[in-house]
Amino acid sequence: MNNIKLKINGRIYEVKVEKNYTLLYVLRDMLDITGPKEGCGTGDCGACKVLIDGQALNACTTLAVKCEGKEIITIEGIADGPNLHPIQESFVEKGAVQCGFCTPGMVISAKALLDQNPKPTRDEIKKALNNNLCRCTGYVKIVDAIEDAAQKMRGDNHE
Amino acid sequence: MSKDLRIIGGSQPIFDAYNKVTGKTCYTGDMKLKNMLYGKLVLSTKAHARVVSIDSSEAEKLEGVVAIATPFNTSNKKYNSALRFADHDIPQTETVFSEIVRFVGDRVCAVAAIDQKVADKAAKLIRVEYEELPAVLSVEEAIEEEAVQLHDNVNNRLNDIKNQVGDVEKGFAEADHIFEDEYRTPIVSPMALENHVSIADYDEQGKLTIYSSTQNAFAVRNIISAVFNLPQSKVRIVKPTLGGAFGSKIPAVLEGPAAALSMMTHRPVKIDLTRKENLIASRTRHGSIVRLKTGVMKDGTIVAQQYNVLTNTGAYVGSAYNVIGAMSHKVFKTYKIPNMLYVGTPVLTNLPIAGAMRGYGSPQAIFAQQRQLHAISVRLEIDIVTLQRKNLIRPEDVDLEKVGNPRPLDCMERGLELFDWSVKNKWKLNKKEENNSNLRQEHRDSGRNNKRGIGFAIGCHGNGVYGAHRDFVGLRLKLNDDGTMVFESGTHDMGNSLITSQMMILAEELGLEVEDIAVVESDTDLTPWNLGDYSSRGVFVTGAACIKLAGIMREKLLLLASAMLEEAEENLQLQEGKKIISASGKEVSFADLLLYSHRELQEDVMVSTSYGSQAGRTSFGAHFAQVEVDEEQGTVRLLDYVAVHDVGQAINRLSLEGQLEGGIQMGLGYALSEKMEFDEQGRLKNSNLKKYKMFKASMMPDIKLDFIEEGEVPGPFGGKSIGECATVPVAPAIVNAVADALGFDFHCMPHDAEGLLEIVGCES
Ligand code: FES
Ligand code: FES
C-alpha cells in the first residue's frame, strides 16, 4: 500500500492505494466521486474521462499512483457552483443528454477540446469524441451542443 | 388536433438533464449502502456441462469473503426471466444459479466480499468441476433430430407461432413471378452504456429491497417473490436512473443472485457487471434466418407473401415467444398484400440468452422484407419507388377504427424529396441521356475503385401490446399546498424522455409548467402498477393515460372552484398559471383550492386512474442512404442519410429527433460493424468494445430528419411512438444502397458476408 495525495477538483485527498489501483477505482470506490462512469474498464468508451493537467484521459486505464502532483478535474468540478459551465448548459439545451451515462465523459472531452481549440469545425469535434461512445444519441446533438458551447464561450452568439 | 398547444410539440430537455451534466445523478452503480458487500459472479466457461462440484475452500480462506451462493445452497425454483405479469404463461427454464450450465456465461455461483477487489479475487479462486455435455451452437445443429436437447421440459425447437391473412397458396398460384430468398441477421448486443447492476438489501425484518437497472420493476417483483418465496409486501423493487436499456433490462438478470447473497448475509450486496460479463451474461438480439417467399404480378403488385423464420434464442426460453410473436404482427403492417402467412420458430442453442432489443423482432423480419423488395425491383426491372407506391398501405385503404392512420407512403414521398432521390437516381432512369457519363461520375463513381449506391427502406413498429395481452397502466397525481404537483408513474425512463413527455402532457392539460411537476418513478412500493416499459408503449399508452389522469384532476379542481367561487362548473375554466377563472372574471389559484379543500372538506387533492390501451397502432419510417464502397479496401462510407417518420404528432421534438438519431446509429452498427462472434467452444471472441465495433462520432453521416404529423387516435394529442421504429429501417436501407453500389444481391449484412467488407470509416 502506498499513501498518495491526489488533487481532485481543487481539493487534496490522501488515499492508501496499491500500485495497480486505477484512478477510476480510487475516485468511485474509495472517494465516492461517482460522476465518472465505468462503461468498459478497458479504455474504449470514454465514460470515465477526467481532465488530468487539462488533458481528457480515461481514468479506468490510468494508475492512481501516476496522478500525484497532477491537477485532476472530474465532471463534478466543471460547473461553477450551481452555475453550469457553457458546455453543460449547451448539452442540456440542445438535447445532447439522454440516459446521461456517457455525458460526464463527453463533457470532459469537450472541455479539453475547447480549451485548446476554441473554434473547432464539426469534423474536429467528432474527432475529439472518437474515444467517447454513446449508445443513445447518435452523437448528433452532442456535436451540436459542443458547437453551440464553443460559440458561447467565444462570445460571438450571432455567428 | 388543437392548434394552440403550449407545450406539446415543443422541445423540452430531459427532466433530469441538470443532474446528468453535473455528474450528480445517482445511477444504481453509484449507490453505496451502509455495510454494503460487493458481489462477483462466477460464469460458466463451458457451453454445456453438468456442474459436478464447486470447491470454494480457497476463496473462503481469503480475508473479506463473507458468503458464497451456489446452485446447491440457493433456491432452485425455475422461472422465466422475461415474465411480464403474475399469470403470464411462458415456459420456465431458468434458475438463479445453474446446476447444468447451458452457455459460456451461464451463472454458476457468486461470492460476496467486503470490497470489489476481494470479491473478484475470490471468484477466481473458486474451482468448478464440470462434466461436459455435447453443445449445439447454431440453429441448424440445434434442430437436427439427434441433437442434444438443452432442457427436459421443452424441445430445442420451440413451438411455431403462426399468423395469416387470405390464402397464401392461392396467392402464389395466381402470381406471375415467385421469389424465394433466405436472409440471415447476426447476433448483436443492445450495449446500453451502463452495464447491468443490482443491489439487494435484505434487512433484519425480512424485507428485501432491490435497487436495479430494470425496465420492468413489477415483473421482477413477481419473479423474486416466487423464487425466494416471499410475500410481495416483503419485496420492493426500485429503479434508480437508468444508463440506457434498449430492451436488455426487461428481464430479471442480477436481482436473483444479489438477493441470494443478501439473504445469506443480511447485508446489502451489489453486483455490477463488467462489460465483458454484460456481453455474455445479459441479453443479445436474436440472430435469425428468414425464408421469404413472395408472389408478384407482372406490374409489381404483390399478391402473396410467406415468412418462415427461425430465431436463435440462446440457452433459455426467456422472451423467445414474446419476440417472435411481436415479429408475427409487424410483417403484416406495411403493405396491402391480400394473402400472407407467417410461421416463426424460436430455437434454443448453447449461446447467450437472446432477449428484447430495440425493434423487438422487427429489424430481422423487415430486413428480409425490404431487402427482397429491392432485389425484386432489380430482377423485374421495375423501379423500386414504383414498386413501393404500388404496394404500400394507405390510410384510405384501411378501416380507421381497426388500423388507424398508417402513413408509410407519406414518409417515403417526403424522404424522396429530402434525399433528392430523383437527381441521385437520374443516371439510371435516363441511361441514354448525353450527360449520363457526367452524372454517373458525379453521383455514382467518385473514384477509380469507389462505387456509389443509393437505397432506401421502410420500417414499422408497434405502439404497445394491445391485442397480445393486457396493456394498461396506473398513475397518480397529487396537488401540493402551493399548486404544484407530484406525479407518481411506474414508468422506467431509460433516457428516452418518457417521463419528460408525460410531464409535458400533464402540464399542457393542466395549465402548469413542466417544472411545476415533481416525479416519483417506478418503485413497486410507491408508484401504481406498471406493465414495464417495452413495445414502445411509453407515449402511446402511458401518454394517453396522462391525458385521462389530467382530465380527472381538472374535474376535481373545477368542482372545488365551483364550491369555492359559488359559480356553476360550466362557467369555469382552467387556465395557464395554475388557476381557474370564471366567466364573470373571478379567479382562484390551485394553491387556494388546495387550502379550501384541506380547511373546509378535510380532504387531500389527489387523483389516480388506470388506462387501458384502446387500439393497436403502427408507427412507420422511411430511411434513405447514399454510400460509397471502396471495393479494393472493402470499406463503406456513408455520404448522405435521410429519415422521415410517421409519428402522428410530435410530443417532444427534441427527444423525437434524439431517439431517431440514436436509432440510426444503432442500425448502422447492425448493418455495417456489429456482430457477436463465437468460437467453436461457444466463447465470445469479441468481448470488449475494441473488438465489438459500435459506430463512433466520426463514422456518422450527416442526417436529415423530418416527421409526418397527421395524427393517430387514440394517441395523446394524436402522438405515437418513435423509439423502436427508429432503428428498424436502417440496416435494409444501408444494405440496399451497398447492394446498389456493387450490383450484388446481399442476403445478410455486408460485414457478415464472408469478410467481403469491413467498415473502417465514414465521411461526414
Ligand atoms: S470505462 Fe474507461 S474508457 Fe470505458
Ligand atoms: S446518452 Fe446514453 S450513452 Fe450517451
Side-chain angles (χ1 to χ4, degrees):
Chain A
M1 285 280 182
N2 307 46
N3 267 318
I4 58 166
K5 280 190 190 141
L6 295 176
K7 189 172 175 206
I8 304 163
N9 301 330
R11 204 181 127 187
I12 307 284
Y13 294 83
E14 276 201 56
V15 278
K16 249 195 183 127
V17 300
E18 295 282 5
K19 276 206 180 65
N20 64 356
Y21 282 13
T22 64
L23 178 60
L24 188 61
Y25 182 79
V26 172
L27 289 171
R28 289 184 55 83
D29 283 59
M30 300 176 71
L31 300 175
D32 279 335
I33 299 173
T34 56
K37 301 287 175 252
E38 179 168 327
C40 68
T42 51
D44 299 308
C45 77
C48 63
K49 279 199 196 294
V50 297
L51 291 171
I52 302 180
D53 287 344
Q55 258 195 300
L57 296 174
N58 292 326
C60 72
T61 49
T62 302
L63 293 175
V65 287
K66 295 260 164 82
C67 296
E68 258 195 310
K70 297 189 175 164
E71 188 89 38
I72 300 164
I73 308 279
T74 71
I75 186 67
E76 288 91 341
I78 299 292
D80 176 14
N83 302 319
L84 296 182
H85 185 279
I87 296 173
Q88 294 170 312
E89 213 176 76
S90 298
F91 264 63
V92 173
E93 287 163 7
K94 295 286 169 188
V97 182
Q98 289 190 25
C99 83
F101 210 75
C102 70
T103 307
M106 290 286 182
V107 171
I108 292 287
S109 287
K111 174 92 168 54
L113 169 71
L114 297 187
D115 284 348
Q116 271 159 33
N117 178 1
K119 208 173 174 175
T121 62
R122 271 186 93 81
D123 279 347
E124 284 169 335
I125 296 173
K126 287 182 176 183
K127 233 197 199 135
L129 299 181
N130 251 352
N131 189 231
N132 289 82
L133 294 175
C134 174
R135 192 56 155 177
C136 301
T137 64
Y139 310 100
V140 182
K141 300 210 180 306
I142 294 176
V143 177
D144 290 350
I146 297 173
E147 243 184 347
D148 183 63
Q151 236 176 64
K152 272 194 233 159
M153 287 162 73
R154 290 197 307 268
D156 49 6
N157 276 329
H158 306 293
E159 206 179 60
Chain B
M1 228 137 306
S2 159
K3 271 168 236 89
D4 20 69
L5 294 172
R6 204 165 43 93
I7 293 170
I8 295 303
S11 280
Q12 182 76 34
I14 191 161
F15 77 107
D16 52 0
Y18 180 94
N19 282 347
K20 284 173 172 170
V21 293
T22 50
K24 291 198 173 78
T25 297
C26 191
Y27 297 84
T28 310
D30 299 333
M31 293 176 63
K32 208 180 223 178
L33 303 188
K34 213 169 154 212
N35 270 324
M36 188 170 83
L37 299 172
Y38 294 77
K40 181 77 176 176
L41 296 178
V42 174
L43 301 177
S44 167
T45 55
K46 307 289 175 204
H48 200 185
R50 178 182 308 281
V51 174
V52 178
S53 65
I54 296 172
D55 177 4
S56 57
S57 53
E58 289 302 310
E60 280 162 43
K61 281 184 209 149
L62 209 62
E63 201 185 314
V65 171
V66 183
I68 294 166
T70 72
F72 310 113
N73 65 9
T74 303
S75 164
N76 60 2
K77 187 167 169 35
K78 283 193 179 169
Y79 62 93
N80 185 315
S81 60
L83 182 87
R84 290 178 168 184
F85 38 84
D87 52 343
H88 191 196
D89 185 19
I90 42 177
Q92 302 183 323
T93 51
E94 293 155 77
T95 49
V96 176
F97 300 108
S98 303
E99 250 184 274
I100 293 180
V101 292
R102 295 178 176 88
F103 67 101
V104 175
D106 207 349
R107 297 183 298 265
V108 178
C109 58
V111 37
I114 51 158
D115 67 33
Q116 195 64 55
K117 302 259 177 219
V118 177
D120 292 359
K121 207 168 170 185
K124 283 203 186 103
L125 291 173
I126 292 176
R127 296 276 157 257
V128 182
E129 194 192 328
Y130 297 102
E131 176 195 316
E132 280 200 62
L133 301 166
V136 284
L137 298 175
S138 69
V139 164
E140 289 90 336
E141 283 172 72
I143 55 177
E144 273 174 23
E145 223 164 276
E146 58 288 1
V148 62
Q149 298 295 310
L150 270 77
H151 299 279
D152 45 25
N153 55 345
V154 288
N155 290 328
N156 292 351
R157 190 187 174 111
L158 295 168
N159 296 333
D160 293 343
I161 298 272
K162 268 194 195 152
N163 208 352
Q164 59 189 345
V165 291
D167 179 344
V168 80
E169 287 311 324
K170 188 175 137 265
F172 286 132
E174 283 166 15
D176 293 324
H177 306 274
I178 304 263
F179 298 95
E180 291 192 71
D181 293 277
E182 184 179 290
Y183 296 93
R184 284 171 188 253
T185 63
I187 299 174
V188 294
S189 168
M191 202 68 88
L193 206 54
E194 174 201 43
N195 289 303
H196 281 61
V197 50
S198 295
I199 301 172
D201 182 9
Y202 185 73
D203 70 18
E204 297 299 340
Q205 296 195 58
K207 175 100 182 188
L208 176 64
T209 303
I210 303 179
Y211 305 87
S212 193
S213 59
T214 178
Q215 293 170 250
N216 209 1
F218 286 85
V220 169
R221 183 177 66 173
N222 273 316
I223 293 169
I224 294 298
S225 84
V227 167
F228 296 100
N229 200 18
L230 294 168
Q232 295 202 350
S233 57
K234 295 284 188 193
V235 181
R236 175 183 177 198
I237 312 292
V238 183
K239 176 215 69 82
T241 304
L242 276 169
F246 311 110
S248 70
K249 292 168 180 170
I250 296 172
V253 175
L254 299 176
E255 292 87 352
L261 288 167
S262 184
M263 290 171 78
M264 288 168 82
T265 58
H266 288 238
R267 289 171 71 171
V269 179
K270 179 199 274 186
I271 304 181
D272 194 348
L273 294 186
T274 66
R275 177 56 57 189
K276 184 176 177 179
E277 290 167 339
N278 202 75
L279 269 158
I280 55 174
S282 65
R283 295 296 180 270
T284 66
R285 188 193 290 289
H286 289 79
S288 76
I289 303 172
V290 181
R291 281 209 303 280
L292 185 54
K293 182 174 172 185
T294 303
V296 187
M297 302 310 287
K298 279 197 193 80
D299 70 348
T301 306
I302 306 173
V303 289
Q305 192 163 55
Q306 178 172 341
Y307 291 80
N308 288 85
V309 183
L310 295 172
T311 56
N312 185 339
T313 203
Y316 294 93
V317 174
S319 60
Y321 287 120
N322 302 343
V323 171
I324 212 144
M327 189 192 280
S328 81
H329 299 289
K330 307 300 157 48
V331 297
F332 290 81
K333 303 292 186 193
T334 308
Y335 299 104
K336 40 186 185 193
I337 306 173
N339 307 294
M340 285 187 75
L341 172 65
Y342 169 96
V343 184
T345 319
V347 179
L348 292 157
T349 62
N350 293 108
L351 287 178
I353 310 169
M357 177 173 164
R358 192 182 211 163
Y360 218 104
S362 296
Q364 297 93 329
I366 302 298
F367 174 72
Q369 180 194 63
Q370 295 295 311
R371 192 71 269 294
Q372 195 194 41
L373 203 62
H374 180 276
I376 290 173
S377 123
V378 173
R379 293 173 203 160
L380 291 184
E381 293 186 6
I382 300 178
D383 178 55
I384 181 67
V385 174
T386 311
L387 198 56
Q388 292 275 15
R389 280 192 189 129
K390 205 172 267 302
N391 293 290
L392 280 173
I393 198 168
R394 296 158 193 251
E396 59 269 24
D397 298 336
V398 301
D399 179 348
L400 190 80
E401 284 282 300
K402 270 202 200 133
V403 180
N405 191 10
R407 298 271 172 178
L409 186 66
D410 299 41
C411 291
M412 182 184 82
E413 301 295 357
R414 179 76 185 118
L416 290 169
E417 265 172 56
L418 275 178
F419 187 74
D420 241 340
W421 176 270
S422 56
V423 174
K424 290 189 170 92
N425 196 37
K426 203 164 185 178
W427 76 275
K428 250 198 227 166
L429 302 176
N430 303 316
K431 271 184 189 153
K432 290 182 194 109
E433 264 185 31
E434 245 184 280
N435 61 352
N436 175 32
S437 58
N438 291 339
L439 272 171
R440 189 181 166 85
Q441 191 60 31
E442 194 180 328
H443 295 292
R444 303 280 300 178
D445 303 334
S446 67
R448 210 162 37 92
N449 299 309
N450 296 356
K451 289 196 168 157
R452 289 191 176 186
I454 53 175
F456 73 93
I458 294 168
C460 68
H461 201 72
N463 284 269
V465 292
Y466 178 87
H469 56 67
R470 71 202 65 178
D471 190 1
F472 79 96
V473 61
L475 297 172
R476 190 159 44 222
L477 190 61
K478 301 187 300 202
L479 183 61
N480 296 330
D481 295 16
D482 63 354
T484 60
M485 297 190 190
V486 177
F487 173 50
E488 295 168 2
S489 170
T491 296
H492 314 69
D493 195 301
M494 302 156 237
N496 50 355
S497 270
L498 292 182
I499 287 289
T500 313
S501 304
Q502 292 168 21
M503 290 162 83
M504 289 171 79
I505 292 168
L506 291 174
E508 179 78 54
E509 288 288 275
L510 289 169
L512 306 174
E513 297 306 319
V514 172
E515 300 72 40
D516 289 329
I517 303 169
V519 183
V520 180
E521 258 190 273
S522 192
D523 177 326
T524 56
D525 272 7
L526 296 182
T527 60
W529 192 82
N530 185 284
L531 181 64
D533 282 292
Y534 45 82
S535 72
S536 291
R537 54 193 297 281
V539 161
F540 189 74
V541 183
T542 314
C546 287
I547 300 232
K548 185 177 174 197
L549 184 73
I552 298 171
M553 178 58 99
R554 190 191 305 114
E555 270 310 301
K556 177 127 191 154
L557 293 171
L558 287 171
L559 202 69
L560 283 169
S562 160
M564 203 176 152
L565 299 176
E566 296 177 340
E567 287 264 10
E569 251 190 80
E570 54 268 29
N571 295 332
L572 296 173
Q573 218 187 352
L574 191 144
Q575 275 230 328
E576 185 186 336
K578 298 183 287 237
K579 62 187 178 200
I580 286 176
I581 55 161
S582 75
S584 59
K586 287 191 239 168
E587 179 179 317
V588 61
S589 69
F590 288 2
D592 285 338
L593 290 174
L594 183 103
L595 292 180
Y596 174 82
S597 176
H598 281 194
R599 191 178 57 234
E600 304 298 329
L601 311 175
Q602 310 217 37
E603 264 180 26
D604 201 7
V605 180
M606 169 174 72
V607 298
S608 63
T609 193
S610 296
Y611 170 86
S613 182
Q614 326 247 308
R617 292 292 181 256
T618 310
S619 296
F620 295 91
H623 290 208
F624 297 75
Q626 183 178 37
V627 302
E628 183 176 287
V629 186
D630 181 332
E631 271 190 307
E632 210 161 84
Q633 301 286 317
T635 58
V636 177
R637 290 197 303 159
L638 305 176
L639 304 179
D640 206 358
Y641 202 95
V642 166
V644 182
H645 276 252
D646 167 22
V647 296
Q649 153 78 41
I651 303 295
N652 183 358
R653 215 163 285 277
L654 201 61
S655 71
L656 208 52
E657 293 169 1
Q659 283 294 294
L660 185 44
E661 288 154 355
I664 290 169
Q665 181 222 21
M666 194 177 275
L668 291 174
Y670 196 39
L672 293 169
S673 65
E674 293 183 32
K675 180 193 180 187
M676 291 176 73
E677 293 179 86
F678 300 93
D679 68 11
E680 55 299 335
Q681 314 284 322
R683 292 175 300 210
L684 181 65
K685 290 199 275 187
N686 48 346
S687 60
N688 60 45
L689 283 170
K690 238 184 282 307
K691 295 192 193 138
Y692 183 97
K693 294 194 176 101
M694 273 170 60
F695 259 59
K696 297 181 173 186
S698 65
M699 293 158 80
M700 290 296 290
D702 277 346
I703 299 174
K704 285 192 210 85
L705 307 178
D706 205 2
F707 299 100
I708 305 294
E709 298 178 67
E710 294 294 332
E712 186 75 90
V713 178
F717 302 97
K720 55 183 171 181
S721 71
I722 181 90
E724 295 187 84
C725 191
T727 212
V728 178
V730 188
I734 293 286
V735 182
N736 284 344
V738 176
D740 181 53
L742 297 178
F744 184 83
D745 188 8
F746 286 96
H747 286 77
C748 60
M749 305 301 169
H751 69 111
D752 209 6
E754 294 290 305
L756 182 65
L757 294 167
E758 191 195 343
I759 189 155
V760 294
C762 293
E763 196 174 85
S764 55

